[in-house]
């Protein structure tokens, strides 16, 4: 499940999702915890999402779904 960033700096706004390049692959449970859970602080949510985003982008490059264009 694609989880968009919830950070304003990524284009998130009221009723507006962040840019599609700022997504992370998360399971349903983790996506819900990130968006609506009460067990994580804001900084923990940001770190959880950032780590998932880094892993997602890494996997996309590793599996040749993305490439660097210079």
């Amino acid at each position: 499940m694609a989880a968009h960033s919830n950070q304003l700096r990524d284009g998130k706004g009221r009723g507006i999702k962040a840019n599609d390049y700022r997504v992370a692959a998360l399971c349903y449970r983790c996506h819900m915890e990130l968006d609506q859970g009460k067990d994580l602080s804001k900084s923990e949510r940001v770190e959880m999402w950032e780590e998932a985003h880094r892993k997602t982008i890494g996997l996309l490059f590793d599996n040749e779904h993305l490439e660097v264009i210079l």
Side-chain angles (χ1 to χ4, degrees):
M1 173 173 267
H4 287 81
S5 170
N6 288 329
Q7 298 177 59
L8 294 175
R9 70 179 184 170
D10 293 326
K12 169 76 172 152
R14 187 174 177 158
I16 300 170
K17 287 192 182 291
N19 295 310
D20 285 338
Y21 65 84
R22 293 292 285 168
V23 296
L26 294 174
C27 69
Y28 176 79
R29 183 180 59 83
C30 290
H31 194 161
M32 292 298 291
E33 180 64 30
L34 190 67
D35 284 347
Q36 290 137 16
K38 306 291 185 241
D39 295 333
L40 300 173
S41 68
K42 183 175 180 175
S43 63
E44 289 172 323
R45 288 178 214 237
V46 169
E47 182 54 36
M48 176 186 174
W49 189 90
E50 290 291 344
E51 181 178 351
H53 176 69
R54 285 189 297 274
K55 287 180 179 179
T56 299
I57 298 303
L59 285 170
L60 290 171
F61 274 105
D62 290 347
N63 290 296
E64 299 180 358
H65 295 290
L66 292 175
E67 63 182 61
V68 176
I69 299 173
L70 302 176

